[in-house]
Amino acid sequence: CAEEGIVVFNTPGANANAVKELVICALLLASRKVVQGANWVKGLAGTPDIGPAAEKGKATYAGPEIAGKRLGVIGLGAIGVKVANAAVGLDMEVWGYDPYLSVDGALKLDRSVKHVTELDEIFANCDYITIHVPLNADTKNTISAEAIEKMKDGVVILNFARDLLVNDDAILSGIASGKIARYVTDFPTAKLAGQPKVVAFPHLGASTE
């Protein structure tokens, strides 16, 4: 690139806000069964009395509010800090884990975020867990079968960082057992596509205008 006169530079955090917004969207989609409800309404196309039919069927798609629930944020970098602060603004109780939290990140983090020093504290105590760390040998399969076993029943897991941070087989086993209520990811795989209680996006995190 240099030989062709093309400037190449790194832009860390450039897509942080875009990913943060999608994660907040995913929190709501995972809780309120919005996707499932919208798909059900599509099936009512052509129904003369669609209004009454929708009212009658809406109870199937009820879900909890996120206010007052506990969100665990694994990784408090450019994206994780934004997600944590936004969740505080939505009246969630936010716990954060990052053994490499920078001074800059700490200064940007809302003071109400509880910073824990053990990953197991996130697993054992949080209703929702979202992961925002780079993929490397140490972080691969952070969300494993062993990790899921430590989580609360009915946990919601969000992955908008990298696919291999979460083990697909462990997710499917957790869903089958009822341990996992919903898994929302930006990384569709052959194993996850079309699975019940899985909402997968086509890597939309940075896809904004």
mmCIF file of all heavy atoms in Angstrom, residues 9-48:
data_model
loop_
_atom_site.group_PDB
_atom_site.id
_atom_site.type_symbol
_atom_site.label_atom_id
_atom_site.label_comp_id
_atom_site.label_asym_id
_atom_site.label_seq_id
_atom_site.Cartn_x
_atom_site.Cartn_y
_atom_site.Cartn_z
ATOM 1 N N PHE A 9 -4.078 3.070 8.243
ATOM 2 C CA PHE A 9 -3.953 3.352 9.676
ATOM 3 C C PHE A 9 -5.051 2.640 10.443
ATOM 4 O O PHE A 9 -6.091 2.273 9.888
ATOM 5 C CB PHE A 9 -4.012 4.861 9.938
ATOM 6 C CG PHE A 9 -5.215 5.549 9.360
ATOM 7 C CD1 PHE A 9 -6.367 5.732 10.114
ATOM 8 C CD2 PHE A 9 -5.189 6.030 8.055
ATOM 9 C CE1 PHE A 9 -7.468 6.370 9.577
ATOM 10 C CE2 PHE A 9 -6.296 6.666 7.509
ATOM 11 C CZ PHE A 9 -7.439 6.841 8.275
ATOM 12 N N ASN A 10 -4.797 2.428 11.721
ATOM 13 C CA ASN A 10 -5.727 1.735 12.600
ATOM 14 C C ASN A 10 -6.736 2.731 13.174
ATOM 15 O O ASN A 10 -6.401 3.877 13.453
ATOM 16 C CB ASN A 10 -4.957 1.062 13.745
ATOM 17 C CG ASN A 10 -5.839 0.160 14.575
ATOM 18 O OD1 ASN A 10 -6.843 -0.358 14.088
ATOM 19 N ND2 ASN A 10 -5.473 -0.045 15.827
ATOM 20 N N THR A 11 -7.981 2.283 13.347
ATOM 21 C CA THR A 11 -9.013 3.164 13.893
ATOM 22 C C THR A 11 -9.725 2.467 15.053
ATOM 23 O O THR A 11 -10.892 2.102 14.949
ATOM 24 C CB THR A 11 -10.040 3.561 12.812
ATOM 25 O OG1 THR A 11 -10.601 2.357 12.238
ATOM 26 C CG2 THR A 11 -9.397 4.382 11.727
ATOM 27 N N PRO A 12 -9.025 2.240 16.155
ATOM 28 C CA PRO A 12 -9.655 1.540 17.277
ATOM 29 C C PRO A 12 -10.849 2.303 17.822
ATOM 30 O O PRO A 12 -10.799 3.524 17.993
ATOM 31 C CB PRO A 12 -8.529 1.466 18.319
ATOM 32 C CG PRO A 12 -7.616 2.587 17.969
ATOM 33 C CD PRO A 12 -7.669 2.702 16.478
ATOM 34 N N GLY A 13 -11.939 1.582 18.044
ATOM 35 C CA GLY A 13 -13.131 2.207 18.602
ATOM 36 C C GLY A 13 -14.002 2.937 17.602
ATOM 37 O O GLY A 13 -15.027 3.517 17.969
ATOM 38 N N ALA A 14 -13.624 2.908 16.326
ATOM 39 C CA ALA A 14 -14.384 3.668 15.341
ATOM 40 C C ALA A 14 -15.819 3.185 15.211
ATOM 41 O O ALA A 14 -16.726 3.974 14.933
ATOM 42 C CB ALA A 14 -13.681 3.597 13.977
ATOM 43 N N ASN A 15 -16.034 1.889 15.413
ATOM 44 C CA ASN A 15 -17.389 1.343 15.283
ATOM 45 C C ASN A 15 -18.041 1.096 16.641
ATOM 46 O O ASN A 15 -19.069 0.415 16.728
ATOM 47 C CB ASN A 15 -17.362 0.047 14.472
ATOM 48 C CG ASN A 15 -16.632 -1.080 15.191
ATOM 49 O OD1 ASN A 15 -15.979 -0.850 16.199
ATOM 50 N ND2 ASN A 15 -16.737 -2.284 14.675
ATOM 51 N N ALA A 16 -17.451 1.621 17.710
ATOM 52 C CA ALA A 16 -17.911 1.302 19.066
ATOM 53 C C ALA A 16 -19.362 1.704 19.291
ATOM 54 O O ALA A 16 -20.141 0.940 19.876
ATOM 55 C CB ALA A 16 -17.007 1.969 20.101
ATOM 56 N N ASN A 17 -19.740 2.890 18.849
ATOM 57 C CA ASN A 17 -21.119 3.321 19.073
ATOM 58 C C ASN A 17 -22.101 2.473 18.281
ATOM 59 O O ASN A 17 -23.178 2.121 18.778
ATOM 60 C CB ASN A 17 -21.297 4.799 18.705
ATOM 61 C CG ASN A 17 -22.691 5.282 19.053
ATOM 62 O OD1 ASN A 17 -23.029 5.429 20.216
ATOM 63 N ND2 ASN A 17 -23.520 5.496 18.030
ATOM 64 N N ALA A 18 -21.728 2.121 17.051
ATOM 65 C CA ALA A 18 -22.612 1.296 16.221
ATOM 66 C C ALA A 18 -22.869 -0.061 16.881
ATOM 67 O O ALA A 18 -24.006 -0.541 16.928
ATOM 68 C CB ALA A 18 -22.001 1.103 14.831
ATOM 69 N N VAL A 19 -21.814 -0.675 17.397
ATOM 70 C CA VAL A 19 -21.968 -1.972 18.063
ATOM 71 C C VAL A 19 -22.769 -1.815 19.347
ATOM 72 O O VAL A 19 -23.651 -2.629 19.651
ATOM 73 C CB VAL A 19 -20.597 -2.608 18.352
ATOM 74 C CG1 VAL A 19 -20.768 -3.927 19.102
ATOM 75 C CG2 VAL A 19 -19.828 -2.831 17.057
ATOM 76 N N LYS A 20 -22.489 -0.769 20.109
ATOM 77 C CA LYS A 20 -23.238 -0.526 21.345
ATOM 78 C C LYS A 20 -24.737 -0.456 21.066
ATOM 79 O O LYS A 20 -25.542 -1.063 21.786
ATOM 80 C CB LYS A 20 -22.788 0.777 21.988
ATOM 81 C CG LYS A 20 -23.607 1.190 23.209
ATOM 82 C CD LYS A 20 -23.619 2.687 23.425
ATOM 83 C CE LYS A 20 -24.529 3.399 22.435
ATOM 84 N NZ LYS A 20 -24.620 4.854 22.700
ATOM 85 N N GLU A 21 -25.129 0.273 20.044
ATOM 86 C CA GLU A 21 -26.553 0.407 19.730
ATOM 87 C C GLU A 21 -27.167 -0.947 19.392
ATOM 88 O O GLU A 21 -28.304 -1.247 19.797
ATOM 89 C CB GLU A 21 -26.748 1.386 18.572
ATOM 90 C CG GLU A 21 -26.446 2.829 18.942
ATOM 91 C CD GLU A 21 -26.746 3.794 17.800
ATOM 92 O OE1 GLU A 21 -27.215 3.339 16.732
ATOM 93 O OE2 GLU A 21 -26.514 5.000 17.982
ATOM 94 N N LEU A 22 -26.431 -1.781 18.652
ATOM 95 C CA LEU A 22 -26.968 -3.090 18.280
ATOM 96 C C LEU A 22 -27.078 -4.000 19.499
ATOM 97 O O LEU A 22 -28.012 -4.800 19.611
ATOM 98 C CB LEU A 22 -26.094 -3.741 17.203
ATOM 99 C CG LEU A 22 -26.723 -4.929 16.470
ATOM 100 C CD1 LEU A 22 -27.999 -4.517 15.750
ATOM 101 C CD2 LEU A 22 -25.746 -5.536 15.475
ATOM 102 N N VAL A 23 -26.141 -3.888 20.425
ATOM 103 C CA VAL A 23 -26.200 -4.688 21.647
ATOM 104 C C VAL A 23 -27.425 -4.302 22.482
ATOM 105 O O VAL A 23 -28.132 -5.169 23.015
ATOM 106 C CB VAL A 23 -24.908 -4.530 22.477
ATOM 107 C CG1 VAL A 23 -25.045 -5.192 23.847
ATOM 108 C CG2 VAL A 23 -23.733 -5.122 21.725
ATOM 109 N N ILE A 24 -27.698 -3.011 22.601
ATOM 110 C CA ILE A 24 -28.885 -2.565 23.335
ATOM 111 C C ILE A 24 -30.146 -3.066 22.643
ATOM 112 O O ILE A 24 -31.100 -3.523 23.293
ATOM 113 C CB ILE A 24 -28.906 -1.030 23.463
ATOM 114 C CG1 ILE A 24 -27.689 -0.544 24.274
ATOM 115 C CG2 ILE A 24 -30.204 -0.560 24.106
ATOM 116 C CD1 ILE A 24 -27.579 -1.131 25.663
ATOM 117 N N CYS A 25 -30.149 -3.009 21.328
ATOM 118 C CA CYS A 25 -31.257 -3.575 20.549
ATOM 119 C C CYS A 25 -31.421 -5.061 20.869
ATOM 120 O O CYS A 25 -32.539 -5.538 21.095
ATOM 121 C CB CYS A 25 -30.996 -3.372 19.065
ATOM 122 S SG CYS A 25 -32.152 -4.206 17.955
ATOM 123 N N ALA A 26 -30.316 -5.778 20.932
ATOM 124 C CA ALA A 26 -30.360 -7.215 21.197
ATOM 125 C C ALA A 26 -30.894 -7.519 22.593
ATOM 126 O O ALA A 26 -31.622 -8.501 22.793
ATOM 127 C CB ALA A 26 -28.962 -7.813 21.029
ATOM 128 N N LEU A 27 -30.551 -6.686 23.566
ATOM 129 C CA LEU A 27 -31.079 -6.862 24.921
ATOM 130 C C LEU A 27 -32.603 -6.848 24.905
ATOM 131 O O LEU A 27 -33.260 -7.680 25.536
ATOM 132 C CB LEU A 27 -30.583 -5.739 25.833
ATOM 133 C CG LEU A 27 -29.220 -5.886 26.488
ATOM 134 C CD1 LEU A 27 -28.837 -4.581 27.183
ATOM 135 C CD2 LEU A 27 -29.215 -7.029 27.478
ATOM 136 N N LEU A 28 -33.154 -5.905 24.181
ATOM 137 C CA LEU A 28 -34.608 -5.774 24.108
ATOM 138 C C LEU A 28 -35.229 -6.900 23.285
ATOM 139 O O LEU A 28 -36.264 -7.462 23.661
ATOM 140 C CB LEU A 28 -34.972 -4.416 23.512
ATOM 141 C CG LEU A 28 -34.535 -3.225 24.368
ATOM 142 C CD1 LEU A 28 -34.664 -1.923 23.591
ATOM 143 C CD2 LEU A 28 -35.337 -3.153 25.651
ATOM 144 N N LEU A 29 -34.598 -7.254 22.177
ATOM 145 C CA LEU A 29 -35.114 -8.343 21.343
ATOM 146 C C LEU A 29 -35.115 -9.660 22.103
ATOM 147 O O LEU A 29 -36.042 -10.466 21.980
ATOM 148 C CB LEU A 29 -34.269 -8.494 20.077
ATOM 149 C CG LEU A 29 -34.323 -7.367 19.053
ATOM 150 C CD1 LEU A 29 -33.402 -7.681 17.879
ATOM 151 C CD2 LEU A 29 -35.738 -7.148 18.545
ATOM 152 N N ALA A 30 -34.097 -9.880 22.906
ATOM 153 C CA ALA A 30 -33.985 -11.129 23.643
ATOM 154 C C ALA A 30 -35.022 -11.220 24.760
ATOM 155 O O ALA A 30 -35.459 -12.308 25.123
ATOM 156 C CB ALA A 30 -32.586 -11.261 24.238
ATOM 157 N N SER A 31 -35.408 -10.070 25.299
ATOM 158 C CA SER A 31 -36.333 -10.063 26.424
ATOM 159 C C SER A 31 -37.791 -10.091 25.986
ATOM 160 O O SER A 31 -38.600 -10.842 26.533
ATOM 161 C CB SER A 31 -36.098 -8.810 27.284
ATOM 162 O OG SER A 31 -34.808 -8.831 27.829
ATOM 163 N N ARG A 32 -38.122 -9.281 25.011
ATOM 164 C CA ARG A 32 -39.522 -9.045 24.689
ATOM 165 C C ARG A 32 -40.064 -9.901 23.540
ATOM 166 O O ARG A 32 -41.207 -9.763 23.144
ATOM 167 C CB ARG A 32 -39.722 -7.556 24.352
ATOM 168 C CG ARG A 32 -39.328 -6.624 25.487
ATOM 169 C CD ARG A 32 -40.231 -6.753 26.694
ATOM 170 N NE ARG A 32 -41.585 -6.354 26.379
ATOM 171 C CZ ARG A 32 -42.008 -5.071 26.417
ATOM 172 N NH1 ARG A 32 -41.172 -4.111 26.774
ATOM 173 N NH2 ARG A 32 -43.238 -4.780 26.111
ATOM 174 N N LYS A 33 -39.255 -10.795 22.997
ATOM 175 C CA LYS A 33 -39.674 -11.690 21.914
ATOM 176 C C LYS A 33 -40.256 -10.903 20.730
ATOM 177 O O LYS A 33 -41.252 -11.292 20.115
ATOM 178 C CB LYS A 33 -40.690 -12.711 22.424
ATOM 179 C CG LYS A 33 -40.159 -13.575 23.558
ATOM 180 C CD LYS A 33 -41.192 -14.576 24.040
ATOM 181 C CE LYS A 33 -40.678 -15.358 25.242
ATOM 182 N NZ LYS A 33 -41.699 -16.277 25.777
ATOM 183 N N VAL A 34 -39.610 -9.805 20.419
ATOM 184 C CA VAL A 34 -40.068 -8.919 19.348
ATOM 185 C C VAL A 34 -39.978 -9.603 17.986
ATOM 186 O O VAL A 34 -40.904 -9.528 17.172
ATOM 187 C CB VAL A 34 -39.243 -7.609 19.344
ATOM 188 C CG1 VAL A 34 -39.669 -6.719 18.196
ATOM 189 C CG2 VAL A 34 -39.403 -6.896 20.673
ATOM 190 N N VAL A 35 -38.860 -10.268 17.719
ATOM 191 C CA VAL A 35 -38.671 -10.941 16.429
ATOM 192 C C VAL A 35 -39.726 -12.025 16.231
ATOM 193 O O VAL A 35 -40.348 -12.137 15.171
ATOM 194 C CB VAL A 35 -37.253 -11.541 16.328
ATOM 195 C CG1 VAL A 35 -37.123 -12.380 15.069
ATOM 196 C CG2 VAL A 35 -36.211 -10.435 16.334
ATOM 197 N N GLN A 36 -39.942 -12.814 17.266
ATOM 198 C CA GLN A 36 -40.918 -13.905 17.168
ATOM 199 C C GLN A 36 -42.324 -13.348 16.946
ATOM 200 O O GLN A 36 -43.100 -13.883 16.142
ATOM 201 C CB GLN A 36 -40.880 -14.745 18.451
ATOM 202 C CG GLN A 36 -39.562 -15.454 18.683
ATOM 203 C CD GLN A 36 -38.514 -14.586 19.357
ATOM 204 O OE1 GLN A 36 -38.669 -13.385 19.517
ATOM 205 N NE2 GLN A 36 -37.421 -15.215 19.745
ATOM 206 N N GLY A 37 -42.653 -12.282 17.649
ATOM 207 C CA GLY A 37 -43.964 -11.672 17.478
ATOM 208 C C GLY A 37 -44.158 -11.083 16.093
ATOM 209 O O GLY A 37 -45.220 -11.229 15.481
ATOM 210 N N ALA A 38 -43.123 -10.428 15.576
ATOM 211 C CA ALA A 38 -43.208 -9.841 14.240
ATOM 212 C C ALA A 38 -43.364 -10.926 13.178
ATOM 213 O O ALA A 38 -44.136 -10.772 12.222
ATOM 214 C CB ALA A 38 -41.962 -8.997 13.959
ATOM 215 N N ASN A 39 -42.632 -12.031 13.343
ATOM 216 C CA ASN A 39 -42.758 -13.135 12.395
ATOM 217 C C ASN A 39 -44.152 -13.754 12.450
ATOM 218 O O ASN A 39 -44.708 -14.167 11.422
ATOM 219 C CB ASN A 39 -41.697 -14.208 12.688
ATOM 220 C CG ASN A 39 -40.307 -13.760 12.294
ATOM 221 O OD1 ASN A 39 -40.141 -12.880 11.449
ATOM 222 N ND2 ASN A 39 -39.299 -14.354 12.902
ATOM 223 N N TRP A 40 -44.740 -13.823 13.644
ATOM 224 C CA TRP A 40 -46.094 -14.357 13.785
ATOM 225 C C TRP A 40 -47.110 -13.480 13.061
ATOM 226 O O TRP A 40 -48.004 -13.964 12.383
ATOM 227 C CB TRP A 40 -46.442 -14.471 15.270
ATOM 228 C CG TRP A 40 -47.834 -14.972 15.522
ATOM 229 C CD1 TRP A 40 -48.313 -16.224 15.313
ATOM 230 C CD2 TRP A 40 -48.926 -14.208 16.033
ATOM 231 N NE1 TRP A 40 -49.641 -16.294 15.664
ATOM 232 C CE2 TRP A 40 -50.041 -15.072 16.113
ATOM 233 C CE3 TRP A 40 -49.065 -12.890 16.444
ATOM 234 C CZ2 TRP A 40 -51.284 -14.642 16.575
ATOM 235 C CZ3 TRP A 40 -50.295 -12.460 16.915
ATOM 236 C CH2 TRP A 40 -51.386 -13.330 16.969
ATOM 237 N N VAL A 41 -46.941 -12.157 13.189
ATOM 238 C CA VAL A 41 -47.860 -11.236 12.507
ATOM 239 C C VAL A 41 -47.755 -11.382 10.992
ATOM 240 O O VAL A 41 -48.753 -11.294 10.280
ATOM 241 C CB VAL A 41 -47.590 -9.781 12.946
ATOM 242 C CG1 VAL A 41 -48.362 -8.796 12.065
ATOM 243 C CG2 VAL A 41 -47.987 -9.586 14.401
ATOM 244 N N LYS A 42 -46.550 -11.653 10.483
ATOM 245 C CA LYS A 42 -46.400 -11.882 9.044
ATOM 246 C C LYS A 42 -47.297 -13.026 8.593
ATOM 247 O O LYS A 42 -47.860 -13.006 7.494
ATOM 248 C CB LYS A 42 -44.943 -12.212 8.696
ATOM 249 C CG LYS A 42 -44.010 -11.029 8.702
ATOM 250 C CD LYS A 42 -42.604 -11.467 8.301
ATOM 251 C CE LYS A 42 -41.622 -10.315 8.322
ATOM 252 N NZ LYS A 42 -40.259 -10.760 7.942
ATOM 253 N N GLY A 43 -47.430 -14.028 9.443
ATOM 254 C CA GLY A 43 -48.274 -15.171 9.116
ATOM 255 C C GLY A 43 -49.756 -14.859 9.127
ATOM 256 O O GLY A 43 -50.567 -15.658 8.651
ATOM 257 N N LEU A 44 -50.117 -13.690 9.648
ATOM 258 C CA LEU A 44 -51.526 -13.273 9.670
ATOM 259 C C LEU A 44 -51.900 -12.454 8.444
ATOM 260 O O LEU A 44 -53.035 -11.961 8.358
ATOM 261 C CB LEU A 44 -51.806 -12.447 10.931
ATOM 262 C CG LEU A 44 -51.664 -13.151 12.280
ATOM 263 C CD1 LEU A 44 -51.944 -12.156 13.413
ATOM 264 C CD2 LEU A 44 -52.606 -14.340 12.379
ATOM 265 N N ALA A 45 -50.963 -12.304 7.510
ATOM 266 C CA ALA A 45 -51.247 -11.514 6.300
ATOM 267 C C ALA A 45 -52.505 -12.039 5.621
ATOM 268 O O ALA A 45 -52.674 -13.233 5.404
ATOM 269 C CB ALA A 45 -50.066 -11.592 5.340
ATOM 270 N N GLY A 46 -53.418 -11.115 5.312
ATOM 271 C CA GLY A 46 -54.674 -11.490 4.665
ATOM 272 C C GLY A 46 -55.793 -11.789 5.637
ATOM 273 O O GLY A 46 -56.948 -11.982 5.218
ATOM 274 N N THR A 47 -55.498 -11.832 6.929
ATOM 275 C CA THR A 47 -56.545 -12.070 7.930
ATOM 276 C C THR A 47 -57.415 -10.830 8.052
ATOM 277 O O THR A 47 -56.912 -9.743 8.353
ATOM 278 C CB THR A 47 -55.919 -12.392 9.310
ATOM 279 O OG1 THR A 47 -55.068 -13.522 9.176
ATOM 280 C CG2 THR A 47 -57.003 -12.678 10.336
ATOM 281 N N PRO A 48 -58.739 -10.947 7.805
ATOM 282 C CA PRO A 48 -59.609 -9.759 7.842
ATOM 283 C C PRO A 48 -59.586 -9.037 9.187
ATOM 284 O O PRO A 48 -59.417 -7.833 9.256
ATOM 285 C CB PRO A 48 -60.995 -10.335 7.550
ATOM 286 C CG PRO A 48 -60.733 -11.613 6.827
ATOM 287 C CD PRO A 48 -59.473 -12.156 7.410
#
